[in-house]
Coordinates of all heavy atoms in Angstrom, one line a residue:
M1 N 6.1 -12.4 4.4 CA 6.1 -10.9 4.6 C 5.3 -10.6 5.8 O 4.2 -11.2 6.0 CB 5.7 -10.2 3.4 CG 5.4 -8.8 3.7 SD 5.0 -7.7 2.3 CE 5.8 -6.3 2.9
K2 N 5.7 -9.6 6.6 CA 5.0 -9.2 7.8 C 3.6 -8.7 7.5 O 2.7 -8.9 8.3 CB 5.8 -8.0 8.4 CG 5.3 -7.5 9.7 CD 6.3 -6.4 10.2 CE 5.9 -6.0 11.6 NZ 6.8 -5.0 12.1
Y3 N 3.4 -8.1 6.3 CA 2.1 -7.6 6.0 C 1.3 -8.4 5.0 O 0.4 -8.0 4.3 CB 2.2 -6.1 5.4 CG 2.9 -5.2 6.4 CD1 4.2 -4.8 6.2 CD2 2.4 -4.9 7.6 CE1 4.9 -4.0 7.1 CE2 3.0 -4.1 8.6 CZ 4.3 -3.7 8.3 OH 5.0 -2.9 9.2
G4 N 1.7 -9.7 4.9 CA 1.1 -10.6 3.9 C -0.4 -10.8 4.1 O -1.2 -10.9 3.1
R5 N -0.8 -10.8 5.4 CA -2.3 -11.0 5.7 C -3.1 -9.8 5.1 O -4.1 -10.0 4.5 CB -2.5 -11.1 7.2 CG -3.9 -11.3 7.6 CD -4.1 -11.3 9.1 NE -3.5 -10.2 9.8 CZ -4.1 -9.0 10.0 NH1 -5.3 -8.8 9.5 NH2 -3.5 -8.0 10.6
I6 N -2.5 -8.6 5.2 CA -3.2 -7.5 4.6 C -3.2 -7.5 3.1 O -4.3 -7.3 2.5 CB -2.5 -6.2 5.1 CG1 -2.5 -6.0 6.6 CG2 -3.1 -4.9 4.4 CD1 -1.5 -5.1 7.2
L7 N -2.1 -7.9 2.5 CA -2.1 -8.0 1.0 C -3.0 -9.1 0.5 O -3.6 -8.9 -0.5 CB -0.6 -8.3 0.6 CG 0.4 -7.2 0.9 CD1 1.8 -7.6 0.4 CD2 0.0 -5.8 0.3
H8 N -3.2 -10.2 1.2 CA -4.1 -11.2 0.8 C -5.5 -10.7 0.8 O -6.4 -11.3 0.1 CB -3.9 -12.5 1.7 CG -2.8 -13.4 1.2 ND1 -2.8 -14.0 0.0 CD2 -1.7 -13.7 1.8 CE1 -1.7 -14.7 -0.1 NE2 -1.0 -14.5 1.0
S9 N -5.8 -9.8 1.7 CA -7.2 -9.3 1.8 C -7.6 -8.2 0.7 O -8.7 -7.8 0.6 CB -7.4 -8.7 3.2 OG -6.8 -7.5 3.3
L10 N -6.6 -7.8 -0.1 CA -6.9 -6.8 -1.1 C -7.8 -7.3 -2.2 O -7.7 -8.5 -2.6 CB -5.6 -6.3 -1.8 CG -4.6 -5.6 -0.8 CD1 -3.4 -5.3 -1.6 CD2 -5.2 -4.5 -0.1
N11 N -8.6 -6.4 -2.8 CA -9.5 -6.8 -3.9 C -8.6 -6.8 -5.1 O -7.9 -5.8 -5.4 CB -10.6 -5.7 -4.1 CG -11.5 -6.0 -5.2 OD1 -11.2 -6.7 -6.2 ND2 -12.7 -5.5 -5.1
E12 N -8.6 -7.8 -5.9 CA -7.7 -8.0 -7.0 C -7.9 -7.0 -8.1 O -7.0 -6.7 -8.9 CB -7.8 -9.4 -7.6 CG -7.4 -10.5 -6.7 CD -7.3 -11.8 -7.3 OE1 -7.6 -12.0 -8.5 OE2 -6.9 -12.8 -6.6
D13 N -9.1 -6.4 -8.3 CA -9.4 -5.5 -9.4 C -9.3 -4.0 -9.0 O -9.7 -3.1 -9.7 CB -10.7 -5.8 -9.9 CG -10.8 -7.2 -10.5 OD1 -9.8 -7.6 -11.1 OD2 -11.9 -7.8 -10.5
E14 N -8.8 -3.7 -7.8 CA -8.7 -2.3 -7.3 C -7.2 -1.9 -7.3 O -6.4 -2.7 -7.1 CB -9.3 -2.1 -5.9 CG -10.8 -2.2 -5.9 CD -11.4 -1.8 -4.5 OE1 -10.9 -0.9 -3.9 OE2 -12.3 -2.5 -4.1
L15 N -7.0 -0.6 -7.5 CA -5.7 0.0 -7.4 C -5.3 0.3 -6.0 O -6.1 0.9 -5.2 CB -5.6 1.2 -8.3 CG -5.7 1.0 -9.8 CD1 -5.8 2.4 -10.5 CD2 -4.6 0.3 -10.3
Y16 N -4.0 0.0 -5.7 CA -3.5 0.3 -4.3 C -2.1 0.9 -4.4 O -1.3 0.5 -5.3 CB -3.4 -1.0 -3.5 CG -4.8 -1.6 -3.3 CD1 -5.2 -2.7 -4.1 CD2 -5.6 -1.2 -2.2 CE1 -6.4 -3.3 -3.9 CE2 -6.8 -1.8 -2.0 CZ -7.2 -2.9 -2.8 OH -8.4 -3.5 -2.6
T17 N -1.8 1.8 -3.5 CA -0.5 2.3 -3.3 C 0.0 1.8 -1.9 O -0.9 1.4 -1.1 CB -0.4 3.8 -3.4 OG1 -1.2 4.4 -2.3 CG2 -1.0 4.4 -4.7
P18 N 1.2 2.0 -1.6 CA 1.7 1.7 -0.2 C 0.9 2.5 0.8 O 0.5 2.0 1.9 CB 3.1 2.0 -0.2 CG 3.6 1.7 -1.6 CD 2.4 2.2 -2.5
A19 N 0.5 3.7 0.5 CA -0.2 4.6 1.4 C -1.6 4.1 1.6 O -2.1 4.0 2.7 CB -0.2 6.0 0.9
T20 N -2.3 3.7 0.5 CA -3.7 3.2 0.7 C -3.7 1.9 1.4 O -4.6 1.6 2.2 CB -4.4 3.0 -0.7 OG1 -3.7 2.1 -1.5 CG2 -4.6 4.4 -1.3
I21 N -2.7 1.0 1.2 CA -2.7 -0.2 2.0 C -2.4 0.0 3.5 O -3.0 -0.6 4.3 CB -1.6 -1.2 1.4 CG1 -2.0 -1.6 -0.1 CG2 -1.5 -2.5 2.2 CD1 -1.0 -2.3 -0.8
A22 N -1.5 1.0 3.8 CA -1.3 1.4 5.2 C -2.5 1.9 5.8 O -2.8 1.6 7.0 CB -0.2 2.4 5.2
M23 N -3.3 2.6 5.1 CA -4.6 3.1 5.6 C -5.6 2.0 5.9 O -6.3 2.0 6.9 CB -5.3 4.1 4.6 CG -4.6 5.4 4.5 SD -5.5 6.4 3.4 CE -4.3 7.7 3.0
I24 N -5.6 1.0 5.0 CA -6.4 -0.2 5.3 C -6.0 -0.9 6.5 O -6.7 -1.3 7.4 CB -6.4 -1.1 4.0 CG1 -7.1 -0.5 2.9 CG2 -7.0 -2.5 4.4 CD1 -6.9 -1.2 1.5
A25 N -4.6 -1.1 6.6 CA -4.1 -1.8 7.8 C -4.4 -1.1 9.1 O -4.7 -1.8 10.1 CB -2.6 -1.9 7.6
L26 N -4.4 0.2 9.1 CA -4.7 0.9 10.4 C -6.1 1.4 10.5 O -6.5 2.0 11.4 CB -3.7 2.1 10.4 CG -2.2 1.8 10.5 CD1 -1.4 3.1 10.4 CD2 -1.9 1.0 11.8
K27 N -6.9 1.0 9.5 CA -8.3 1.4 9.4 C -8.5 2.9 9.5 O -9.3 3.4 10.4 CB -9.1 0.7 10.5 CG -9.1 -0.8 10.3 CD -9.9 -1.5 11.4 CE -10.0 -3.0 11.1 NZ -9.1 -3.9 11.7
I28 N -7.8 3.6 8.7 CA -7.8 5.1 8.7 C -8.7 5.5 7.5 O -8.6 4.9 6.4 CB -6.4 5.7 8.4 CG1 -5.5 5.3 9.6 CG2 -6.5 7.2 8.3 CD1 -4.1 5.7 9.4
D29 N -9.6 6.4 7.7 CA -10.5 7.0 6.7 C -9.6 7.7 5.7 O -8.7 8.5 6.0 CB -11.5 8.0 7.3 CG -12.4 8.6 6.3 OD1 -12.2 8.4 5.1 OD2 -13.4 9.2 6.8
P30 N -9.7 7.4 4.4 CA -8.9 8.0 3.3 C -8.9 9.5 3.3 O -8.0 10.2 2.9 CB -9.4 7.5 2.0 CG -10.2 6.2 2.4 CD -10.6 6.4 3.8
C31 N -10.0 10.1 3.9 CA -10.1 11.6 3.9 C -9.3 12.2 5.1 O -9.3 13.4 5.3 CB -11.5 12.0 3.9 SG -12.4 11.6 2.4
Q32 N -8.8 11.3 6.0 CA -8.1 11.8 7.2 C -6.7 11.2 7.2 O -6.4 10.3 6.4 CB -8.8 11.3 8.4 CG -10.2 11.9 8.6 CD -10.9 11.3 9.8 OE1 -10.5 10.4 10.4 NE2 -12.1 11.8 10.1
T33 N -5.9 11.7 8.1 CA -4.6 11.1 8.3 C -4.5 10.5 9.7 O -5.4 10.8 10.5 CB -3.5 12.2 8.1 OG1 -3.7 13.2 9.1 CG2 -3.4 12.7 6.7
A34 N -3.5 9.8 10.0 CA -3.3 9.2 11.3 C -3.3 10.4 12.3 O -2.6 11.4 12.0 CB -2.1 8.4 11.4
N35 N -4.0 10.2 13.4 CA -4.1 11.4 14.3 C -3.3 11.3 15.6 O -3.2 12.3 16.3 CB -5.6 11.6 14.6 CG -6.2 10.4 15.2 OD1 -5.6 9.4 15.5 ND2 -7.5 10.5 15.4
T36 N -2.6 10.3 15.8 CA -1.7 10.2 17.0 C -0.3 10.0 16.5 O -0.1 9.6 15.4 CB -2.1 9.1 18.0 OG1 -1.8 7.8 17.3 CG2 -3.5 9.2 18.4
K37 N 0.6 10.4 17.4 CA 2.1 10.3 17.0 C 2.4 8.8 16.7 O 3.1 8.5 15.7 CB 2.9 10.8 18.1 CG 4.3 11.0 17.7 CD 5.1 11.8 18.8 CE 6.5 12.2 18.4 NZ 7.2 13.0 19.4
E38 N 1.9 7.9 17.5 CA 2.2 6.5 17.3 C 1.6 5.9 16.0 O 2.2 5.2 15.3 CB 1.8 5.6 18.5 CG 2.2 4.2 18.4 CD 3.7 4.0 18.3 OE1 4.4 4.7 18.9 OE2 4.1 3.0 17.7
A39 N 0.4 6.4 15.7 CA -0.3 6.0 14.5 C 0.4 6.5 13.3 O 0.5 5.8 12.3 CB -1.8 6.4 14.5
K40 N 0.9 7.7 13.3 CA 1.6 8.3 12.2 C 2.9 7.5 12.0 O 3.3 7.2 10.8 CB 2.0 9.8 12.5 CG 0.8 10.7 12.3 CD 1.2 12.1 12.6 CE -0.1 13.0 12.6 NZ 0.3 14.4 12.8
R41 N 3.6 7.2 13.1 CA 4.8 6.4 12.9 C 4.6 5.0 12.3 O 5.3 4.6 11.5 CB 5.5 6.3 14.3 CG 6.9 5.6 14.2 CD 7.6 5.5 15.6 NE 7.9 6.9 15.9 CZ 7.7 7.4 17.1 NH1 7.2 6.7 18.1 NH2 8.0 8.7 17.4
T42 N 3.5 4.3 12.8 CA 3.2 3.0 12.3 C 2.8 3.1 10.8 O 3.2 2.3 10.0 CB 2.0 2.4 13.1 OG1 2.4 2.3 14.5 CG2 1.7 1.0 12.6
Y43 N 2.0 4.1 10.5 CA 1.6 4.4 9.1 C 2.8 4.5 8.2 O 2.9 3.9 7.1 CB 0.7 5.6 9.0 CG 0.3 6.1 7.7 CD1 -0.6 5.5 6.9 CD2 1.0 7.2 7.1 CE1 -0.9 6.0 5.6 CE2 0.7 7.7 5.9 CZ -0.2 7.1 5.1 OH -0.5 7.6 3.9
Q44 N 3.7 5.3 8.6 CA 4.9 5.6 7.9 C 5.8 4.3 7.7 O 6.3 4.0 6.6 CB 5.8 6.7 8.5 CG 7.0 7.1 7.7 CD 7.8 8.2 8.3 OE1 7.6 8.5 9.5 NE2 8.6 8.9 7.6
R45 N 5.9 3.5 8.7 CA 6.7 2.3 8.7 C 6.0 1.3 7.7 O 6.7 0.7 6.9 CB 6.7 1.6 10.0 CG 7.7 2.3 11.0 CD 7.8 1.6 12.3 NE 8.7 2.3 13.1 CZ 8.6 2.3 14.5 NH1 7.7 1.5 15.1 NH2 9.5 3.0 15.2
I46 N 4.7 1.2 7.7 CA 4.0 0.3 6.8 C 4.2 0.8 5.3 O 4.5 0.0 4.4 CB 2.5 0.1 7.1 CG1 2.3 -0.5 8.5 CG2 1.8 -0.6 6.0 CD1 0.9 -0.5 9.0
R47 N 4.0 2.1 5.2 CA 4.1 2.7 3.8 C 5.5 2.4 3.2 O 5.7 2.1 2.1 CB 3.8 4.1 3.9 CG 3.4 4.7 2.6 CD 3.1 6.2 2.7 NE 4.4 6.9 2.8 CZ 4.7 7.8 3.7 NH1 3.9 8.1 4.7 NH2 5.9 8.4 3.6
I48 N 6.6 2.6 4.1 CA 7.9 2.5 3.6 C 8.2 1.0 3.3 O 8.8 0.7 2.3 CB 8.9 3.0 4.7 CG1 8.8 4.6 4.7 CG2 10.4 2.6 4.4 CD1 9.5 5.2 5.8
A49 N 7.8 0.1 4.2 CA 8.0 -1.3 3.9 C 7.3 -1.8 2.6 O 7.9 -2.6 1.9 CB 7.5 -2.1 5.1
L50 N 6.1 -1.3 2.4 CA 5.4 -1.7 1.2 C 6.0 -1.0 -0.1 O 6.0 -1.6 -1.2 CB 3.9 -1.4 1.3 CG 3.2 -2.2 2.3 CD1 1.8 -1.7 2.5 CD2 3.2 -3.7 1.9
G51 N 6.6 0.1 0.1 CA 7.3 0.8 -1.0 C 8.5 0.0 -1.4 O 8.8 -0.3 -2.6
R52 N 9.2 -0.5 -0.4 CA 10.4 -1.3 -0.7 C 10.0 -2.7 -1.3 O 10.6 -3.2 -2.2 CB 11.2 -1.6 0.6 CG 12.0 -0.4 1.1 CD 12.8 -0.8 2.3 NE 13.4 0.4 2.8 CZ 13.6 0.7 4.1 NH1 13.1 -0.1 5.0 NH2 14.2 1.8 4.5
F53 N 8.9 -3.2 -0.8 CA 8.4 -4.5 -1.3 C 8.1 -4.3 -2.8 O 8.4 -5.2 -3.6 CB 7.1 -4.9 -0.5 CG 6.5 -6.1 -1.0 CD1 6.9 -7.4 -0.6 CD2 5.3 -6.1 -1.8 CE1 6.3 -8.5 -1.0 CE2 4.7 -7.2 -2.2 CZ 5.2 -8.5 -1.8
S54 N 7.4 -3.2 -3.2 CA 7.0 -3.0 -4.6 C 8.3 -2.8 -5.4 O 8.4 -3.3 -6.6 CB 6.1 -1.8 -4.8 OG 6.7 -0.6 -4.4
N55 N 9.3 -2.1 -4.9 CA 10.6 -2.0 -5.7 C 11.3 -3.3 -5.8 O 11.8 -3.6 -6.9 CB 11.5 -0.9 -5.0 CG 11.0 0.5 -5.2 OD1 10.3 0.8 -6.1 ND2 11.4 1.3 -4.2
N56 N 11.4 -4.1 -4.7 CA 12.1 -5.3 -4.8 C 11.5 -6.4 -5.7 O 12.1 -7.3 -6.2 CB 12.2 -5.9 -3.4 CG 13.1 -5.1 -2.5 OD1 13.9 -4.3 -2.9 ND2 12.9 -5.3 -1.2
H57 N 10.1 -6.2 -5.9 CA 9.4 -7.1 -6.8 C 9.2 -6.5 -8.2 O 8.4 -7.0 -9.0 CB 8.1 -7.6 -6.2 CG 8.4 -8.5 -5.0 ND1 8.6 -8.1 -3.7 CD2 8.4 -9.9 -5.0 CE1 8.8 -9.1 -3.0 NE2 8.7 -10.2 -3.7
H58 N 9.9 -5.5 -8.5 CA 10.0 -4.9 -9.8 C 8.6 -4.5 -10.4 O 8.3 -4.7 -11.5 CB 10.7 -5.8 -10.8 CG 12.0 -6.2 -10.3 ND1 13.1 -5.4 -10.1 CD2 12.5 -7.4 -9.8 CE1 14.1 -6.0 -9.6 NE2 13.8 -7.3 -9.4
F59 N 7.8 -3.9 -9.5 CA 6.5 -3.3 -10.0 C 6.9 -2.2 -11.0 O 7.8 -1.5 -10.8 CB 5.7 -2.7 -8.9 CG 5.0 -3.7 -7.9 CD1 5.4 -5.0 -7.8 CD2 4.0 -3.3 -7.2 CE1 4.8 -5.9 -7.0 CE2 3.3 -4.1 -6.3 CZ 3.8 -5.5 -6.2
P60 N 6.1 -2.1 -12.1 CA 6.4 -1.1 -13.1 C 6.3 0.3 -12.5 O 5.3 0.6 -11.8 CB 5.3 -1.3 -14.2 CG 4.3 -2.2 -13.6 CD 4.9 -2.9 -12.4
D61 N 7.2 1.2 -12.9 CA 7.2 2.6 -12.3 C 6.0 3.4 -12.7 O 5.5 4.1 -11.8 CB 8.4 3.3 -12.9 CG 9.7 2.8 -12.3 OD1 9.8 2.2 -11.3 OD2 10.8 3.1 -13.0
E62 N 5.4 3.1 -13.8 CA 4.2 3.9 -14.2 C 2.9 3.4 -13.6 O 1.9 4.0 -13.6 CB 4.0 3.9 -15.7 CG 3.8 2.6 -16.4 CD 5.0 1.7 -16.6 OE1 6.1 2.1 -16.3 OE2 4.8 0.6 -17.1
G63 N 3.0 2.2 -12.9 CA 1.9 1.6 -12.2 C 0.8 1.1 -13.2 O 1.0 1.1 -14.4
D64 N -0.2 0.5 -12.6 CA -1.3 0.0 -13.5 C -2.4 1.1 -13.7 O -3.3 0.9 -14.4 CB -2.0 -1.2 -12.8 CG -1.0 -2.4 -12.6 OD1 -0.2 -2.6 -13.6 OD2 -1.0 -3.0 -11.6
G65 N -2.3 2.2 -12.9 CA -3.2 3.3 -13.0 C -2.8 4.4 -12.0 O -1.8 4.3 -11.4
I66 N -3.6 5.4 -11.8 CA -3.3 6.5 -10.9 C -4.3 6.5 -9.8 O -5.5 6.3 -10.0 CB -3.4 7.8 -11.7 CG1 -2.4 7.8 -12.8 CG2 -3.2 9.0 -10.8 CD1 -0.9 7.8 -12.4
V67 N -3.8 6.7 -8.6 CA -4.6 6.8 -7.3 C -4.5 8.2 -6.8 O -3.4 8.8 -6.8 CB -4.1 5.8 -6.3 CG1 -4.9 6.0 -5.0 CG2 -4.2 4.4 -6.8
T68 N -5.6 8.8 -6.5 CA -5.6 10.2 -6.0 C -6.1 10.2 -4.6 O -7.2 9.7 -4.3 CB -6.5 11.1 -6.8 OG1 -6.1 11.0 -8.2 CG2 -6.4 12.5 -6.4
L69 N -5.3 10.7 -3.6 CA -5.7 10.8 -2.2 C -5.8 12.3 -1.9 O -5.0 13.1 -2.4 CB -4.7 10.2 -1.3 CG -4.5 8.7 -1.5 CD1 -3.3 8.2 -0.7 CD2 -5.8 7.9 -1.1
K70 N -6.7 12.6 -1.0 CA -7.0 14.0 -0.6 C -5.6 14.6 -0.1 O -5.0 14.1 0.8 CB -8.0 14.1 0.4 CG -8.4 15.5 0.8 CD -9.5 15.5 1.8 CE -9.8 17.0 2.3 NZ -10.8 17.0 3.2
G71 N -5.3 15.8 -0.7 CA -4.1 16.5 -0.2 C -2.8 16.0 -0.7 O -1.7 16.4 -0.3
Q72 N -2.8 15.0 -1.7 CA -1.6 14.5 -2.2 C -1.7 14.5 -3.7 O -2.8 14.5 -4.3 CB -1.4 13.0 -1.8 CG -1.2 12.9 -0.3 CD -0.9 11.4 0.1 OE1 -0.7 10.6 -0.7 NE2 -0.9 11.2 1.4
A73 N -0.5 14.5 -4.4 CA -0.5 14.5 -5.8 C -0.9 13.1 -6.3 O -0.7 12.1 -5.6 CB 1.0 14.8 -6.3
P74 N -1.4 13.0 -7.5 CA -1.8 11.7 -8.0 C -0.5 10.8 -8.0 O 0.6 11.2 -8.4 CB -2.2 12.0 -9.5 CG -2.7 13.4 -9.4 CD -1.8 14.1 -8.4
T75 N -0.7 9.5 -7.7 CA 0.4 8.6 -7.5 C 0.1 7.3 -8.3 O -1.1 6.8 -8.3 CB 0.5 8.2 -6.0 OG1 0.6 9.4 -5.2 CG2 1.7 7.4 -5.7
P76 N 1.1 6.7 -8.9 CA 0.9 5.4 -9.5 C 0.4 4.3 -8.5 O 0.9 4.3 -7.4 CB 2.2 5.0 -10.1 CG 3.0 6.3 -10.1 CD 2.5 7.1 -9.0
G77 N -0.5 3.5 -8.9 CA -1.0 2.4 -8.1 C -1.0 1.1 -8.8 O -0.9 1.1 -10.1
W78 N -1.1 0.0 -8.1 CA -1.0 -1.3 -8.8 C -2.2 -2.1 -8.3 O -2.7 -2.0 -7.2 CB 0.3 -2.0 -8.4 CG 1.5 -1.2 -8.8 CD1 2.1 -1.3 -10.1 CD2 2.2 -0.3 -8.1 NE1 3.1 -0.4 -10.1 CE2 3.2 0.2 -8.9 CE3 2.2 0.2 -6.8 CZ2 4.2 1.2 -8.5 CZ3 3.1 1.2 -6.4 CH2 4.1 1.6 -7.2
F79 N -2.7 -2.9 -9.2 CA -3.8 -3.8 -8.9 C -3.5 -4.7 -7.7 O -2.4 -5.2 -7.6 CB -4.3 -4.6 -10.1 CG -5.0 -3.7 -11.1 CD1 -4.4 -3.5 -12.4 CD2 -6.2 -3.2 -10.9 CE1 -5.1 -2.8 -13.3 CE2 -6.9 -2.4 -11.8 CZ -6.3 -2.2 -13.0
G80 N -4.6 -5.1 -7.0 CA -4.4 -6.0 -5.9 C -3.8 -7.3 -6.3 O -3.0 -7.9 -5.6
W81 N -4.1 -7.8 -7.5 CA -3.6 -9.1 -8.0 C -2.1 -9.0 -8.1 O -1.4 -10.0 -7.8 CB -4.2 -9.5 -9.3 CG -3.9 -8.7 -10.5 CD1 -4.7 -7.7 -11.0 CD2 -2.7 -8.7 -11.3 NE1 -4.1 -7.1 -12.1 CE2 -2.9 -7.7 -12.3 CE3 -1.5 -9.4 -11.3 CZ2 -1.9 -7.4 -13.3 CZ3 -0.6 -9.1 -12.3 CH2 -0.8 -8.1 -13.2
R82 N -1.5 -7.9 -8.4 CA 0.0 -7.7 -8.5 C 0.6 -7.8 -7.1 O 1.6 -8.5 -6.9 CB 0.3 -6.4 -9.2 CG 1.8 -6.3 -9.5 CD 2.2 -5.0 -10.2 NE 1.5 -4.8 -11.4 CZ 1.9 -5.2 -12.6 NH1 2.9 -6.0 -12.7 NH2 1.2 -4.9 -13.7
W83 N 0.0 -7.2 -6.1 CA 0.5 -7.3 -4.8 C 0.5 -8.7 -4.3 O 1.4 -9.2 -3.7 CB -0.3 -6.4 -3.8 CG -0.1 -4.9 -4.1 CD1 -0.9 -4.1 -4.8 CD2 0.9 -4.1 -3.5 NE1 -0.4 -2.8 -4.7 CE2 0.7 -2.8 -4.0 CE3 2.0 -4.4 -2.7 CZ2 1.6 -1.7 -3.7 CZ3 2.9 -3.3 -2.4 CH2 2.7 -2.0 -2.9
K84 N -0.7 -9.4 -4.6 CA -0.8 -10.8 -4.1 C 0.2 -11.7 -4.8 O 0.8 -12.6 -4.2 CB -2.2 -11.3 -4.4 CG -3.3 -10.6 -3.5 CD -4.6 -11.2 -3.8 CE -5.7 -10.5 -2.9 NZ -7.0 -11.1 -3.2
A85 N 0.4 -11.5 -6.1 CA 1.3 -12.4 -6.9 C 2.7 -12.2 -6.4 O 3.5 -13.2 -6.3 CB 1.2 -12.1 -8.3
A86 N 3.1 -11.0 -6.0 CA 4.5 -10.7 -5.5 C 4.7 -11.5 -4.2 O 5.9 -11.8 -3.9 CB 4.7 -9.2 -5.3
L87 N 3.7 -11.8 -3.4 CA 3.9 -12.5 -2.2 C 4.4 -13.9 -2.4 O 5.1 -14.5 -1.6 CB 2.6 -12.6 -1.4 CG 2.1 -11.4 -0.6 CD1 0.7 -11.6 -0.1 CD2 3.1 -11.1 0.5
H88 N 4.1 -14.5 -3.6 CA 4.4 -15.9 -3.9 C 5.6 -16.0 -4.8 O 5.9 -17.1 -5.2 CB 3.2 -16.5 -4.6 CG 1.9 -16.5 -3.7 ND1 1.8 -17.1 -2.5 CD2 0.8 -15.7 -3.9 CE1 0.6 -16.8 -2.0 NE2 0.0 -16.0 -2.8
E89 N 6.3 -14.9 -5.0 CA 7.5 -15.0 -5.8 C 8.7 -15.5 -5.0 O 8.8 -15.3 -3.8 CB 7.9 -13.7 -6.4 CG 6.9 -13.2 -7.5 CD 7.3 -11.9 -8.1 OE1 8.2 -11.2 -7.6 OE2 6.6 -11.5 -9.0

């Protein structure tokens, strides 16, 4: 997977959503959003790719817990170990 290096760096005991992983990949502060047009486009591409990845690997819809980001509704998130395990399927 194109973002495998990022997924391997996740902490196994923390919850992540495609959006939080995209923020990690682009080194964006969680309290801010991408501030340039190119950064927003890249953020969106990563987020969509990881959303598809989670769907293709049958992550549970309810998630392993809830992640809250500033300005967004609470979203289901999955532990880092689940993201890592899906890479090896």
Side-chain angles (χ1 to χ4, degrees):
M1 165 172 218
K2 185 175 183 177
Y3 304 110
R5 181 181 53 82
I6 298 163
L7 296 180
H8 277 294
S9 71
L10 299 178
N11 182 335
E12 293 188 0
D13 298 328
E14 286 187 40
L15 292 172
Y16 298 96
T17 65
T20 57
I21 297 171
M23 287 181 198
I24 291 168
L26 297 174
K27 297 181 173 100
I28 297 172
D29 181 349
C31 295
Q32 299 176 350
T33 57
N35 55 6
T36 66
K37 193 172 189 175
E38 186 60 32
K40 286 180 184 180
R41 184 175 295 133
T42 302
Y43 170 78
Q44 185 176 18
R45 286 182 182 154
I46 294 171
R47 201 180 79 235
I48 290 169
L50 292 172
R52 286 185 184 141
F53 179 81
S54 66
N55 286 335
N56 292 341
H57 288 86
H58 309 291
F59 284 21
D61 291 337
E62 65 278 358
D64 295 321
I66 300 295
V67 176
T68 305
L69 297 173
K70 184 178 178 180
Q72 296 183 9
T75 307
W78 300 275
F79 285 114
W81 64 262
R82 188 180 302 276
W83 289 98
K84 290 179 180 185
L87 284 172
H88 303 293
E89 290 180 355

